[in-house]
Amino acid sequence: AFPPASGVSVAELSRLPEAELRSRVLARPRPRHVAIIMDGNGRWATRRGLPRVAGHHQGVKAVRETVRQVGELGIDFLTLYAFSSENWQRPETEVSFLMTLLERTIDGELPDLMAKNVRFRVIGRSAGIPPGVRRRIEHVVTETAANTGLTLVLALNYGGRDEIVDAVRGLAREVRAGALDPESIDEAAVARALYTDGMPDPDLLIRTSGEMRVSNFLLWQIAYTELWVTPTLWPDFGVRDLHVAVAEYQRRDRRFGRV
Ligand code: FPP
């Protein structure tokens, strides 16, 4: 924990010239782990009279720019909610467009991820992901495994409750095998059984496009996470939005349940 920066409101932060905002952000401890619910691609497109998929296409550009900016801020982990376990219920054409977009993007970004020293990881249920996409993912995960900069985590076919179910199953199997005493299961043991094993909990969760919901994202991990909801639609999310979110985080007084 660090002392809150006094005096400056969100509105004032938002009005600061970009260079000043950035130097404020760099002058204070940054979050170690930022998680983002990237919402509003569909609305962005619909407002322009475009098909929803045009919003996803533009969303990829916002992803690229965000990865770059987050890396430059020296943040260690960035987790992006790319496809939830509920998203399969969307029209088939949209689902297959998203899968193709993911496959192409993940593959195409490899040289850039290497150049930026980014380690790539995926969380979610791999069963259900088309084999082509899965192969690309595995390739990029392997190639970037030794990188030491930002860890970029893509939540894909991810559900927070699914994750907890999978963790419980894993622990139950260990108990059945006689390798684990149920009484020894503590928070650390549960955390190790989650997809996010080895990662710190998010310090800051950003949600775009205004909805005040958690939407089954990182349910266990966000117990003490600071939340930031912006009305900006994901395709419009830029460096300024990121800096405002981090500056706002830096003003918060994190107490983790203490006084
Ligand atoms: C939410 O907008 C966005 C998604 C469900 C998909 C997120 C995917 C991307 C940004 C593209 C994939 C990019 C990579 C490489 C990670 P929405 O469709 O729910 O928008 P709406 O709420 O306005 O309908």
Side-chain angles (χ1 to χ4, degrees):
F2 46 87
S6 57
V8 184
S9 70
V10 184
E12 285 167 318
L13 281 175
S14 309
R15 281 196 298 270
L16 289 176
E18 178 53 28
E20 201 181 322
L21 182 58
R22 184 180 172 81
S23 60
R24 274 186 79 89
V25 164
L26 288 171
R28 293 183 173 80
R30 266 84 70 205
R32 261 196 89 193
H33 182 180
V34 174
I36 307 183
I37 300 175
M38 309 180 288
D39 198 12
N41 291 351
R43 270 162 286 177
W44 183 92
T46 306
R47 281 182 197 172
R48 285 166 174 75
L50 298 169
R52 290 176 53 82
V53 294
H56 298 318
H57 206 269
Q58 199 66 25
V60 172
K61 294 186 185 168
V63 168
R64 208 172 275 132
E65 178 65 4
T66 301
V67 169
R68 193 164 75 86
Q69 296 296 342
V70 163
E72 282 182 14
L73 289 181
I75 290 165
D76 295 329
F77 293 86
L78 173 65
T79 302
L80 301 176
Y81 207 176
F83 196 89
S84 79
S85 46
E86 288 79 28
N87 285 155
W88 299 106
Q89 290 157 38
R90 294 186 175 208
E92 209 242 288
T93 48
E94 185 174 341
V95 170
S96 68
F97 178 91
L98 273 169
M99 287 300 149
T100 308
L101 186 65
L102 278 163
E103 184 174 345
R104 279 206 210 125
T105 306
I106 291 168
D107 210 31
E109 292 304 305
L110 180 57
D112 212 40
L113 295 176
M114 294 309 288
K116 295 197 180 84
N117 197 20
V118 175
R119 186 163 57 138
F120 183 67
R121 224 178 122 160
V122 172
I123 56 172
R125 285 186 174 164
S126 58
I129 303 288
V133 181
R134 223 149 74 187
R135 268 196 305 276
R136 293 289 172 35
I137 288 171
E138 281 159 16
H139 179 63
V140 176
V141 168
T142 309
E143 291 291 312
T144 62
N147 288 347
T148 55
L150 172 72
T151 298
L152 170 62
V153 184
L154 214 56
L156 202 56
N157 194 20
Y158 175 89
R161 289 183 172 181
D162 280 352
E163 179 182 32
I164 293 170
V165 167
D166 288 347
V168 170
R169 285 181 184 163
L171 293 169
R173 277 192 295 267
E174 284 181 48
V175 169
R176 187 177 58 190
L180 182 65
D181 170 9
E183 299 311 317
S184 76
I185 299 174
D186 55 10
E187 288 191 14
V190 174
R192 274 197 302 276
L194 296 171
Y195 306 148
T196 49
D197 179 28
M199 289 167 53
D201 289 338
D203 301 294
L204 171 64
L205 172 62
I206 298 171
R207 178 167 188 146
T208 60
S209 94
E211 244 93 51
M212 299 286 185
R213 280 195 291 276
V214 168
S215 297
N216 204 14
F217 192 42
L218 302 174
L219 294 181
W220 171 278
Q221 297 87 340
I222 60 171
Y224 291 102
T225 298
E226 296 294 328
L227 309 179
W228 175 250
V229 176
T230 169
T232 303
L233 304 176
W234 177 251
D236 291 327
F237 188 87
V239 60
R240 222 186 141 69
D241 298 276
L242 176 70
H243 287 162
V244 169
V246 174
E248 165 61 16
Y249 163 84
Q250 292 170 326
R251 305 167 63 236
R252 304 263 179 104
D253 177 19
R254 300 189 76 193
R255 291 199 300 270
F256 300 94
R258 297 183 302 260
V259 290

